[in-house]
């Protein structure tokens, strides 16, 4: 226990102790990347095999920041769903890139729940991914199932739109129905008049021909 302060010296500073929050160990989707893997910029360089262990360690993911790890993770997700080796812009690839971004933002918000700017970015990315998944589900259902299974996405259908039935809306709807019915009656009388005129014209033309 901390030593009590003197009642004559700084009496207002010892009325409460600061509360220290425990930092939670939040699992990351980047934990499955091996630390010995090379960074994306040096993976295909042939001279990397001839360097010593210290340089290779500096070029590996052990010394990499989160941005460089995100490049490797995004590339792995894209490789799972791309249609061909040259496919870089299909709907499946865009869904994979957005999935990596969303998972990173989710982990950040678990540590910093009051970060409203990143929460807005995550919601925008979620909306964009849902639009792409809805398009895939409507156009290429097999590719939609493959993408969701490979990336571990649980897609749920959006709820059906249901408008709240207020008194003003009900009155407006009844008025619109009444106007529509009156317009249909006027159109029916006009159509009947035109039909009779056509029939009379046909009769006159027939009599003239005879």
């Amino acid at each position: 226990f901390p030593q009590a302060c003197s009642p004559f010296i700084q009496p207002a500073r010892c009325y409460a102790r600061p509360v220290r929050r425990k930092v939670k160990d939040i699992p990351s989707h980047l934990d499955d990347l091996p630390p010995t893997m090379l960074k994306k910029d040096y993976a295909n360089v042939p001279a990397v095999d001839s360097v010593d262990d210290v340089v290779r360690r500096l070029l590996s993911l052990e010394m990499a920041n989160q941005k460089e790890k995100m490049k490797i993770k995004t590339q792995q997700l894209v490789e799972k769903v791309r249609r061909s080796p040259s496919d870089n812009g299909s709907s499946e690839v865009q869904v994979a890139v957005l999935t990596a971004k969303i998972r990173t933002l989710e982990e950040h918000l678990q540590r910093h729940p009051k970060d409203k700017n990143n929460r807005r970015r995550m919601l925008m990315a979620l909306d964009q991914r849902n639009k792409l998944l809805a398009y895939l589900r409507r156009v290429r259902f097999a590719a939609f199932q493959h993408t969701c299974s490979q990336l571990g996405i649980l897609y749920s259908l959006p709820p059906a739109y249901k408008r709240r039935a207020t008194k003003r809306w009900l009155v407006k709807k009844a008025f619109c129905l009444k106007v529509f019915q009156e317009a249909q009656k006027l159109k029916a009388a006009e159509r009947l008049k035109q039909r009779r005129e056509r029939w009379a014209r046909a009769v006159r033309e027939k009599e003239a021909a005879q």
Side-chain angles (χ1 to χ4, degrees):
F1 295 95
Q3 187 177 0
C5 295
S6 172
F8 303 103
I9 301 175
Q10 299 177 354
R13 292 191 178 182
C14 297
Y15 68 94
R17 288 183 298 173
V19 178
R20 294 182 180 180
R21 297 182 178 179
K22 295 182 180 180
V23 180
K24 298 181 181 180
D25 295 333
I26 301 173
S28 174
H29 70 290
L30 304 176
D31 294 338
D32 58 344
L33 296 176
T36 57
M37 181 184 293
L38 295 176
K39 299 178 184 178
K40 185 179 179 181
D41 299 335
Y42 306 101
N44 299 324
V45 178
V48 177
D49 299 332
S50 59
V51 299
D52 55 354
D53 296 338
V54 178
V55 177
R56 190 175 182 85
R57 185 180 177 186
L58 291 173
L59 300 180
S60 64
L61 295 182
E62 185 179 356
M63 301 295 178
N65 53 17
Q66 187 179 12
K67 185 177 180 180
E68 294 170 339
K69 292 181 180 180
M70 272 293 298
K71 290 181 180 179
I72 300 293
K73 192 64 179 180
T74 304
Q75 185 180 9
Q76 289 182 356
L77 295 180
V78 167
E79 290 293 337
K80 292 181 179 180
V81 297
R82 70 188 339 171
R83 303 177 188 177
S84 62
S86 60
D87 179 20
N88 295 319
S90 63
S91 300
E92 296 91 325
V93 173
Q94 296 180 42
V95 169
V97 174
L98 289 172
T99 300
K101 181 180 179 181
I102 289 169
R103 290 174 181 172
T104 304
L105 291 174
E106 283 178 348
E107 295 170 5
H108 175 79
L109 289 173
Q110 287 179 1
R111 297 184 178 90
H112 309 282
K114 295 185 179 181
D115 192 350
K116 297 182 179 179
N117 189 17
N118 280 322
R119 184 177 298 278
R120 177 175 173 271
R121 292 180 182 177
M122 186 189 71
L123 294 177
M124 291 173 62
L126 279 171
D127 291 341
Q128 189 176 358
R129 190 180 71 173
N130 288 337
K131 290 180 182 178
L132 290 170
L133 288 174
Y135 169 77
L136 270 179
R137 186 176 181 271
R138 186 174 64 253
V139 177
R140 302 176 66 237
F141 189 75
F144 164 77
Q145 287 184 326
H146 176 72
T147 303
C148 291
S149 62
Q150 290 294 325
L151 301 180
I153 300 175
L154 297 176
Y155 179 78
S156 58
L157 292 174
Y161 176 74
K162 186 176 180 181
R163 185 169 182 171
R164 182 184 175 187
T166 59
K167 185 177 180 180
R168 180 179 179 181
W169 181 75
L170 291 174
V171 172
K172 184 177 180 180
K173 183 178 179 181
F175 177 74
C176 292
L177 287 175
K178 187 176 181 180
V179 171
F180 176 75
Q181 292 172 1
E182 294 295 331
Q184 290 297 107
K185 290 179 181 179
L186 294 176
K187 289 181 181 179
E190 186 68 24
R191 285 195 296 267
L192 180 60
K193 182 179 178 182
Q194 293 176 1
R195 193 180 302 115
R196 289 177 178 176
E197 290 178 356
R198 287 195 301 268
W199 179 77
R201 192 183 307 115
V203 170
R204 288 195 301 267
E205 289 177 356
K206 187 176 180 181
E207 291 176 354
Q210 291 178 355

